[in-house]
Amino acid sequence: MEIKHIDGKNKGKVMLYTLSTCIWCRKVKDLLGQLGVEYSYVDVDLLGESEKSKTVDTIKKWNPSCSFPTMVINEKKCIVGFAEDEIKTELGK
């Protein structure tokens, strides 16, 4: 699985599951960039079938509807969608 890493301020382990064509996914990436937060992400739609299936299973543990974007912070908190205020509250401190 190709996980891309973006350098920035360490706010814990931030993993973002996205689709390459999703505008809301792009908005979350832009927001994380504005906040200067270090994070990793994977474009699930660009994965091979086997990797995609495993990744979707992982996402469903956090977000049963498996919608995008799904962000998992420190393997404790999940934020689904472009929840700007919630993301700023969690990572903008």
Side-chain angles (χ1 to χ4, degrees):
M1 172 169 38
E2 185 177 347
I3 297 176
K4 297 172 184 153
H5 182 80
I6 306 298
D7 289 328
K9 290 180 259 179
N10 185 341
K11 299 284 186 168
K13 183 180 176 188
V14 179
M15 183 66 201
L16 182 62
Y17 298 94
T18 61
L19 298 175
S20 64
T21 57
C22 168
I23 189 166
W24 299 110
C25 300
R26 191 168 305 134
K27 284 180 173 272
V28 170
K29 290 177 188 174
D30 289 346
L31 178 59
L32 292 175
Q34 290 169 16
L35 295 173
V37 173
E38 177 181 14
Y39 68 99
S40 298
Y41 74 95
V42 61
D43 288 321
V44 177
D45 58 322
L46 300 180
L47 297 174
E49 287 304 316
S50 173
E51 289 179 325
K52 188 184 300 183
S53 177
K54 291 178 188 171
T55 304
V56 165
D57 288 345
T58 299
I59 295 168
K60 284 182 177 177
K61 290 178 188 170
W62 294 100
N63 173 11
S65 67
C66 197
S67 54
F68 297 93
T70 294
M71 179 187 306
V72 179
I73 303 170
N74 291 323
E75 302 208 14
K76 292 181 179 173
K77 179 160 182 72
C78 177
I79 299 175
V80 177
F82 180 62
E84 184 173 2
D85 291 341
E86 189 174 5
I87 293 169
K88 284 181 176 177
T89 298
E90 288 297 321
L91 301 173
K93 301 170 195 166

